[in-house]
Amino acid sequence: MTMEDILASEAQEPQSVTRGDIVDGQIVFIGQEGIAVDIGAKVEGIIPLNQLGDEPMTLEEAQGMYKPGEQIEAYVVRVDLSNSQIVLSKKRADQDKGWRVLEKMQEADEAFEVEVLEKVRGGLVAQVEGIRAFLPASQVDTRRVNELDPYVGKPLMVKLIELNRKRNRVIISHRAIMEAQKAKAREETVGQLEPGAQFEGEVVEITDFGVFVNLGGIDGLVHRSELTYGRFNHPRDVVSVGDKVQVQVIDVDEGRERINLSMKSLTQDPWEGAIDRYSVGQRVKGKVTNLTNFGAFVELESGLEGLVHVSEMSWTKRVRHPNEVMKEGDEVEAVILRIDPKDRRISLGIRQTTDDPWSALPDRYPPGTPVKGKITGMTDFGVFMEIEEGIEGLIHISELDTARVNNPADLFKKGDEIEAMILNIDPVEQRASLSRRRFLGGGAPPAQGGGQRDYVSQGGGSRSDRYGGAPGGGRGAGGRGGRGGGADYNYNAKDASQGGKISTKLGDVYADLFAQFGLGGDKKDDAASTETANAESADTSTDTKTDDTQA
């Protein structure tokens, strides 16, 4: 610089500055108090280290970022020439520039991108042109967002919805952009909405009653009954939020802005052609999907289920609830008993997958065969004795001993091992009658092929007689539980075309009906049944006068 330049600069009038001005200056030096800047005034201005940016800087950081001789823009915070002091702020200058930019954005209604800095109470915080902006949780999406953490550190397109410089208040919205996009897409979609139209949509919400799918600017509901033909507990078992799905429009209610959709209408109904794929008597495998008091539902294929009634689960065991035999998720083998495509029902049997143990019983135990076993039950009219595992027979009170027996409990208790003689076995009704009296030598042995009356014909061998108290008739109230539950599977009755091998007995059906309506099983019926049985026993006993008197 020449002497002329120095004299010329000294001859210049000092620049007048006032509070609030934005001035450009040249860095003179950097010290502990801050950065000294020549702004053309009588004295140099000072930018404190805490006014260089949003975060305070150390002297070393300031010296590394700024150098003497560089140009810098600053905001005039205070002017005190009498004390030779001018305070400047680079941070305020940056903010002022940012406010001017934001004002232009608001006038133009422009969308711009910000990076979310942090989550605070009620929303998110971002920085726009050096100014902190608040994004309320209600403005993050068109639907309520409960979890805001995934948005932190991510870029987001927003619009200004409120700008107040005096209160230093900046409110931004991502929802405003989404709604604008949604409105545009809605116009395009509404024109295509008609029953039968197909769309690809995105699952946006899952509720207990169904799934909301976005078709493009407008949402429709897929009711849970329209999701799939298969069984499920909750719609979230079928789809997840964000899934792309194919849907078909069922109907549109423009006045209420409701659109009903279906997913399963675009898939094949499993009942179509089921009668061709399955037949009565066919062995099938499936998965247990649900247990009820009256049976178990088994899925043969997706959307195609059959019911195994409790009476069709075991030949010998009296199943009170399906969970005694199986649990949900089990793979089981069954036999088809009946198919009803009209009512969309299939009746299955599990016991039919094994041989009926009662069918070979008459050959192994002809009348007069001595047997030994434990007492499994006690009644007023006799005792039940185990012939072999799962097979029981009744020893009527008149056949318990050579002497008169008033109460079976006087002679025996449950678990006692006794010996008796086979009187007769009815494999169809699954009943067997025995005699301990004849085994002990009291009276003639039963004749082969008949000739002696037995208690099988009176219902004497049914295991459920002990519960129903009906020795003289079919299964009583203690029989297998009624079907109930609104499932009408009464077509489990025997199908003559299948030879009677794969369906339940008529006695089981009556027992189910009695149990369902609460009939039978009271004390009066028990007493009447006992008297009837004793009266009939008189006809079969011609050995002694004692037996006639007892009857």
Side-chain angles (χ1 to χ4, degrees):
M1 179 179 295
T2 63
M3 183 61 67
E4 290 79 7
D5 294 333
I6 295 174
L7 293 175
S9 62
E10 290 179 352
Q12 291 179 353
E13 291 290 333
Q15 182 177 342
S16 176
V17 294
T18 58
R19 184 180 183 279
D21 289 345
I22 301 295
V23 296
D24 289 325
Q26 186 178 42
I27 297 176
V28 178
F29 68 90
I30 302 172
Q32 290 290 344
E33 294 182 359
I35 298 178
V37 179
D38 181 8
I39 58 173
K42 291 181 178 180
V43 296
E44 294 171 344
I46 299 295
I47 304 176
L49 296 179
N50 62 359
Q51 291 297 314
L52 289 173
D54 291 329
E55 300 295 332
M57 290 188 183
T58 64
L59 176 60
E60 292 76 12
E61 290 174 339
Q63 290 174 341
M65 185 175 295
Y66 302 99
K67 302 296 180 184
E70 292 181 350
Q71 292 293 319
I72 191 170
E73 187 179 51
Y75 175 88
V76 179
V77 177
R78 185 170 71 252
V79 178
D80 188 359
L81 294 179
S82 60
N83 294 317
S84 301
Q85 186 181 46
I86 299 177
V87 180
L88 307 175
S89 171
K90 181 179 183 302
K91 180 172 69 173
R92 295 280 295 273
D94 293 339
Q95 289 178 346
D96 183 79
K97 180 192 280 186
W99 280 105
R100 293 196 298 269
V101 172
L102 290 178
E103 288 169 355
K104 292 180 180 179
M105 288 180 175
Q106 187 180 39
E107 291 175 3
D109 194 26
E110 292 181 3
F112 53 94
E113 185 178 279
V114 297
E115 183 174 337
V116 178
L117 300 178
E118 59 180 323
K119 181 182 80 170
V120 295
R121 183 178 180 181
L124 302 168
V125 171
Q127 195 170 53
V128 185
E129 298 295 331
I131 302 171
R132 286 172 66 88
F134 180 61
L135 175 61
S138 61
Q139 297 296 322
V140 173
D141 203 332
T142 54
R143 288 183 172 82
R144 180 179 179 83
V145 178
N146 296 319
E147 186 55 56
L148 297 174
D149 288 325
Y151 292 92
V152 177
K154 303 288 181 63
L156 206 62
M157 292 299 296
V158 295
K159 273 188 176 183
L160 281 166
I161 59 174
E162 184 178 344
L163 191 63
N164 191 325
R165 185 170 183 176
K166 289 183 179 179
R167 300 179 60 185
N168 198 29
R169 182 181 178 89
V170 180
I171 307 297
I172 56 178
S173 170
H174 177 62
R175 177 177 178 173
I177 294 179
M178 295 185 66
E179 288 179 342
Q181 295 173 345
K182 187 176 180 179
K184 183 178 180 180
R186 181 189 181 95
E187 292 180 3
E188 299 175 356
T189 303
V190 168
Q192 305 174 32
L193 287 177
E194 59 182 18
Q198 297 181 20
F199 293 88
E200 180 183 65
E202 180 181 350
V203 176
V204 292
E205 186 177 353
I206 299 176
T207 67
D208 293 337
F209 56 85
V211 173
F212 286 96
V213 177
N214 184 274
L215 306 179
I218 190 169
D219 295 346
L221 173 66
V222 181
H223 192 267
R224 60 180 298 143
S225 62
E226 293 294 332
L227 282 173
T228 177
Y229 287 105
R231 180 187 291 271
F232 58 89
N233 294 321
H234 194 276
R236 70 171 65 95
D237 299 334
V238 182
V239 294
S240 301
V241 174
D243 285 354
K244 297 292 185 180
V245 295
Q246 295 292 328
V247 294
Q248 186 175 46
V249 178
I250 299 176
D251 58 69
V252 180
D253 187 343
E254 295 182 1
R256 303 174 67 184
E257 295 187 350
R258 289 188 177 181
I259 304 170
N260 293 319
L261 307 172
S262 173
M263 287 172 54
K264 76 176 186 180
S265 62
L266 298 179
T267 60
Q268 184 178 5
D269 185 350
W271 275 97
E272 292 182 5
I275 197 69
D276 299 325
R277 301 192 302 274
Y278 300 98
S279 59
V280 174
Q282 178 183 348
R283 286 198 176 204
V284 292
K285 291 183 178 180
K287 181 180 179 181
V288 178
T289 57
N290 190 31
L291 299 180
T292 67
N293 292 330
F294 54 85
F297 287 93
V298 177
E299 186 180 56
L300 306 183
E301 58 182 75
S302 180
L304 194 66
E305 292 182 338
L307 174 68
V308 182
H309 192 263
V310 287
S311 63
E312 300 295 346
M313 292 185 177
S314 174
W315 290 111
T316 57
K317 183 179 178 182
R318 183 175 183 270
V319 181
R320 295 178 179 272
H321 194 278
N323 59 16
E324 299 174 11
V325 180
M326 63 189 73
K327 62 182 183 298
E328 288 189 18
D330 284 353
E331 295 285 339
V332 297
E333 185 178 27
V335 173
I336 295 179
L337 306 182
R338 184 167 178 178
I339 302 178
D340 189 345
K342 182 179 179 181
D343 292 333
R344 302 169 76 91
R345 290 172 175 170
I346 297 179
S347 178
L348 303 173
I350 290 180
R351 66 178 184 172
Q352 287 77 10
T353 59
T354 60
D355 293 333
D356 182 1
W358 282 89
S359 61
L361 216 59
D363 296 332
R364 299 202 308 272
Y365 299 98
T369 303
V371 292
K372 187 176 183 180
K374 291 183 179 181
I375 294 177
T376 58
M378 307 281 293
T379 68
D380 294 338
F381 54 85
V383 300
F384 286 90
M385 170 186 170
E386 186 178 54
I387 301 174
E388 57 183 48
E389 185 178 1
I391 304 293
E392 298 173 343
L394 173 68
I395 305 177
H396 193 265
I397 190 171
S398 62
E399 297 291 339
L400 280 175
D401 199 76
T402 55
R404 177 191 178 100
V405 178
N406 293 320
N407 185 5
D410 295 338
L411 294 178
F412 310 104
K413 65 180 182 298
K414 188 175 180 180
D416 286 350
E417 191 170 75
I418 60 174
E419 293 181 288
M421 178 185 294
I422 298 291
L423 293 182
N424 195 21
I425 295 177
D426 186 342
V428 176
E429 290 299 321
Q430 296 186 3
R431 291 171 174 171
S433 61
L434 302 92
S435 173
R436 181 173 177 272
R437 178 174 69 88
R438 303 190 195 198
F439 177 82
L440 297 175
Q448 297 285 338
Q452 293 282 350
R453 288 189 65 186
D454 58 77
Y455 295 99
V456 171
S457 61
Q458 305 170 28
S462 172
R463 64 162 59 199
S464 60
D465 289 340
R466 76 179 71 167
Y467 307 101
R475 299 172 188 258
R480 295 179 174 91
R483 289 173 172 85
D488 182 18
Y489 279 86
N490 55 7
Y491 53 72
N492 276 350
K494 187 177 298 182
D495 190 338
S497 64
Q498 299 303 316
K501 272 292 183 181
I502 62 172
S503 53
T504 188
K505 302 183 296 299
L506 192 57
D508 287 337
V509 177
Y510 285 128
D512 292 337
L513 292 174
F514 291 155
Q516 184 173 352
F517 292 100
L519 301 177
D522 57 23
K523 293 183 178 179
K524 293 182 179 179
D525 292 342
D526 289 347
S529 300
T530 303
E531 291 175 5
T532 303
N534 288 338
E536 290 178 347
S537 68
D539 296 336
T540 66
S541 177
T542 57
D543 296 322
T544 62
K545 184 176 181 180
T546 301
D547 292 331
D548 294 331
T549 303
Q550 177 182 336

